[in-house]
Amino acid sequence: MDHDGSMSRMLRMCEWVMRLAYTNLLWLMFTMLGLGIFGLMPATTALFSVMRKWIQGHEQVNVSGTFWKVYREEFFRSNMIGVMLFILGTIIYVDLAYIYPTSWFLHVLRFGIYIFGFLFIVSLCYIFPLLAHYDWKKRLYLKFSLLLGISYLQYTLSMLVFSAVLFVLFAYLPGIVPFFSVSLLAYGHMWLAYQVFKKVEFESEQQTAELKKRLPSFLQLKRVNTQ
């Protein structure tokens, strides 16, 4: 029985290794399909969408079909968000590179830029999970990525720690980077973000239920009759 259990776990682990390697290679191919710069955002969004399906328990999902579908649907929207992120990131980088703290005002300004840079990184942690999970207008992704990142800081810090551990691992084992780098990072971030989404949706349902309880009975009946 123990032998059978060990074999089952080993086969399960091998299956996940193949899944992560396959999706990582798909990400590379679809990124190159968009000439790199235009393929990065939609390919990453497609990768997170596949990870979301697996986390939700849909393990038999058509990976290549889902990847291609999301890539096409999110090509323009994800690239527009990518342009906005690129502009913000460039502004932060230029400010940090060329503003030298020679006076107290510049010290305060540089400290403010560091805070803004941290908030930018926090926002980046949730952009792709939100793109994979919700269908919103472009500005809402930037807004809620920051709000969720700050409101659920423990999950955000877990994402940052997870990313740091992976970067150290890849530095010591560079041979696995082409096979597991982005897919492993995406799975970890999507799993953590999905826990946040479930909490937010549960809290929203709880607030809606509480609001309904506070409504007078005749208003609740009217609401039922108008549906």
Side-chain angles (χ1 to χ4, degrees):
M1 291 297 291
D2 291 339
H3 181 266
D4 291 340
S6 299
M7 283 298 296
S8 177
R9 286 191 293 271
M10 182 64 69
L11 290 173
R12 183 71 172 165
M13 185 178 72
C14 290
E15 180 185 357
W16 274 101
V17 167
M18 292 299 296
R19 285 181 178 182
L20 292 172
Y22 178 53
T23 50
N24 206 86
L25 291 174
L26 278 179
W27 177 84
L28 286 171
M29 289 172 54
F30 278 88
T31 300
M32 296 305 297
L33 182 64
L35 304 179
I37 189 170
F38 297 113
L40 177 63
M41 290 295 293
T44 308
T45 303
L47 177 64
F48 272 81
S49 297
V50 172
M51 299 303 168
R52 172 178 170 270
K53 291 285 188 183
W54 286 345
I55 291 166
Q56 289 179 324
H58 307 298
E59 296 188 2
Q60 303 304 318
V61 64
N62 183 347
V63 174
S64 58
T66 302
F67 220 99
W68 175 238
K69 180 176 180 292
V70 175
Y71 185 88
R72 286 186 293 109
E73 291 176 350
E74 297 293 337
F75 189 86
F76 291 105
R77 177 165 57 180
S78 61
N79 271 311
M80 288 299 295
I81 293 174
V83 168
M84 290 186 279
L85 292 174
F86 177 77
I87 292 172
L88 289 173
T90 302
I91 292 172
I92 295 170
Y93 172 77
V94 170
D95 287 343
L96 290 175
Y98 295 101
I99 293 180
Y100 297 98
T102 55
S103 66
W104 69 268
F105 174 75
L106 292 179
H107 274 286
V108 173
L109 181 60
R110 193 173 180 85
F111 180 73
I113 296 170
Y114 277 126
I115 293 176
F116 189 70
F118 174 74
L119 294 177
F120 178 74
I121 294 172
V122 166
S123 181
L124 283 180
C125 291
Y126 288 88
I127 282 290
F128 291 109
L130 284 171
L131 279 167
H133 196 70
Y134 296 107
D135 184 17
W136 291 339
K137 294 181 179 179
K138 291 184 288 294
R139 60 183 176 82
L140 292 178
Y141 291 104
L142 297 174
K143 174 183 176 181
F144 280 98
S145 62
L146 183 57
L147 287 175
L148 290 177
I150 297 299
S151 301
Y152 296 88
L153 195 58
Q154 69 274 27
Y155 288 93
T156 307
L157 293 176
S158 297
M159 290 181 185
L160 296 176
V161 170
F162 178 73
S163 301
V165 170
L166 283 185
F167 287 143
V168 172
L169 176 64
F170 296 147
Y172 280 97
L173 299 172
I176 68 174
V177 170
F179 303 101
F180 303 107
S181 55
V182 184
S183 59
L184 194 56
L185 185 67
Y187 187 89
H189 278 231
M190 190 69 235
W191 188 89
L192 288 165
Y194 189 64
Q195 310 313 308
V196 173
F197 299 159
K198 288 195 296 184
K199 282 179 175 291
V200 171
E201 290 165 5
F202 177 76
E203 290 169 4
S204 178
E205 290 174 0
Q206 290 288 96
Q207 290 175 1
T208 302
E210 286 294 323
L211 182 61
K212 286 181 178 179
K213 289 179 182 179
R214 294 174 185 175
L215 285 173
S217 58
F218 71 91
L219 286 178
Q220 291 186 23
L221 288 173
K222 186 177 180 181
R223 182 184 177 90
V224 170
N225 292 334
T226 54
Q227 290 180 344

